Amino acid sequence: MNIPVSVEVIEVGMRDGLQMESDFVDTATKIKLINGLMDAGVRHIEATSFVSPRAVPQLADAAEVLAGATRPAGSRFAVLAPNLKGVERAIAAKADEIVVFLSSSESHNQKNLNRSIDRSLEDISAIAQHVEGVDIKKKGAIACAFGCPFEGDVELATLTRIVGHFHSLGFRALTLGDTTGMATPVLVSRSVSALRDAFPDMKLTLHFHNTRGIGLVNVVAGLNAGIDSYESSIGGLGGCPFAPGASGNICTEDLVYLLNEMGIHTGIDLDKLIGVANHMESVLGRTLPGQVMKAGPRLRLHGYEDAACAMG
Ligand code: COA
Ligand code: ZN
């Protein structure tokens, strides 16, 4: 067991979460939510995406969001970019990091990016060349890394080929995305150990969805494998509009609660985080899947006299 002593929690609710919401959340509200997350101690955030506004109208205000949000010292504002055009927009908007993505299944890549995996790999080569010498971090992301809703299991050889492509282009950070919650602890340990053996200097981040209720179980499998970087969404929002059955990411407050209880440092204030989750709930006008935001941490006790009693 080499469980990490501290973990980087990357908040993706403003991107993976909001991209599923059909009612437009206005830019000022998005900025307020981001500022609340920063005030809670979140330092790594995927703040928006520079994809086609026709594909994801909710994030059409990406540049305005980046320009308006408070960015504390030491924070990293990442953005998703699907192609060269997105990367150019991200650079112009002064993102700290671009996350360049594709799917490890042909059919999901086709639905999500309207191209084959090989064509995406070519685009990624062009992007790597474009950002050479530009002061911006680059990270890769692989959607459907633990299974595809159209094709089922993803071969380890396919994952290894894609990670190898990123590696050959100088990427040293990569997210394995479980877009529709198909990961299991067994798959997590298997994929992580194979990729780490093949690319020991590639920093891996795990991105789970709680579609089948085992998102945090997969985190524990990742922790046992020594992974110290996880993506999650405030309130458990999230999902991919181009993958059937996609539901919320693992919830940030629930993740931070778990890590706190395991004695793993995150630098995030759980009470303030719950405040932001409540704010998100009121913005969206519906109950979010997060659980700790409802129950509170385990030692937030209840008044004895206030509770109902079964005795006559
Ligand atoms: N930002 C803004 N506009 C963009 C863009 C970007 N990153 N990429 C393309 N466009 C515009 C083009 O300028 C073009 O506009 P026009 O018709 O006014 O000339 C139009 O979109 C079509 O461009 P094209 O290159 O043919 O793209 P496409 O229709 O094949 O779509 C993507 C490809 C990648 C742009 C689109 O599928 C996409 O944005 N996918 C992202 C999906 C996503 O966010 N999924 C969730 C995350 S997992
Ligand atoms: Zn996701």
Side-chain angles (χ1 to χ4, degrees):
M1 293 268 237
N2 50 347
I3 291 185
V5 291
S6 70
V7 151
E8 163 187 70
V9 173
I10 304 172
E11 171 61 41
V12 297
M14 302 305 298
R15 194 279 301 169
D16 205 342
L18 289 186
Q19 75 186 8
M20 281 293 267
E21 297 297 322
S22 44
D23 290 344
F24 188 74
V25 174
D26 66 76
T27 309
T29 302
K30 285 177 183 145
I31 291 170
K32 208 165 159 198
L33 285 161
I34 293 177
N35 290 349
L37 289 162
M38 291 298 132
D39 183 53
V42 172
R43 284 296 172 269
H44 299 151
I45 184 167
E46 206 169 89
T48 184
S49 65
F50 287 93
V51 296
S52 155
R54 250 181 279 158
V56 184
Q58 178 66 257
L59 302 179
D61 59 354
E64 291 83 351
V65 167
L66 275 196
T70 304
R71 302 204 215 172
S75 62
R76 192 170 82 217
F77 276 58
V79 300
L80 206 65
N83 54 15
L84 206 47
K85 176 156 188 172
V87 169
E88 284 166 353
R89 291 174 62 209
I91 294 170
K94 300 196 166 28
D96 299 314
E97 180 176 66
I98 46 162
V99 180
V100 183
F101 64 105
L102 81 167
S103 181
S104 51
S105 88
E106 284 294 345
S107 40
H108 185 257
N109 208 58
Q110 204 65 52
K111 289 268 186 217
N112 203 35
L113 291 173
N114 196 24
R115 65 207 57 206
S116 66
I117 290 180
D118 280 342
R119 171 76 202 286
S120 279
L121 293 176
E122 282 169 26
D123 290 353
I124 292 165
S125 302
I127 289 170
Q129 212 173 352
H130 185 81
V131 299
E132 195 118 326
V134 178
D135 183 23
I136 195 163
K137 289 183 166 51
K138 59 181 191 291
K139 184 174 192 178
I142 305 179
C144 299
F146 299 96
C148 162
F150 310 109
E151 296 179 22
D153 279 332
V154 167
E155 298 287 332
L156 259 182
T158 307
L159 267 190
T160 309
R161 176 170 93 94
I162 296 174
V163 178
H165 186 78
F166 278 115
H167 193 268
S168 71
L169 296 170
F171 285 74
R172 289 296 177 269
L174 185 117
T175 296
L176 296 177
D178 182 24
T179 311
T180 60
M182 291 174 74
T184 66
V186 173
L187 285 175
V188 170
S189 350
R190 196 184 292 160
S191 309
V192 165
S193 78
L195 292 176
R196 233 191 346 221
D197 286 350
F199 310 101
D201 59 347
M202 183 67 101
K203 182 175 168 69
L204 295 176
T205 294
L206 297 177
H207 171 118
F208 296 122
H209 282 255
N210 199 32
T211 320
R212 293 177 173 79
I214 58 170
L216 290 182
V217 182
N218 290 327
V219 168
V220 174
L223 291 169
N224 282 330
I227 300 292
D228 64 355
S229 177
Y230 296 87
E231 294 181 352
S232 58
S233 277
I234 190 79
L237 274 178
C240 174
F242 312 103
S247 62
N249 293 81
I250 54 167
C251 166
T252 308
E253 317 84 77
D254 295 3
L255 172 65
V256 168
Y257 168 71
L258 170 71
L259 296 170
N260 282 351
E261 293 300 324
M262 292 176 78
I264 298 171
H265 178 75
T266 64
I268 298 176
D269 180 318
L270 182 57
D271 286 328
K272 284 188 175 177
L273 204 55
I274 291 172
V276 183
N278 288 330
H279 180 197
M280 182 64 93
E281 204 167 65
S282 71
V283 166
L284 299 179
R286 65 164 201 279
T287 304
L288 295 179
Q291 291 180 273
V292 173
M293 68 184 287
K294 302 182 186 88
R298 56 189 278 276
L299 291 180
R300 182 174 299 161
L301 304 181
H302 300 264
Y304 179 78
E305 299 302 335
D306 301 336
C309 179
M311 302 299 284

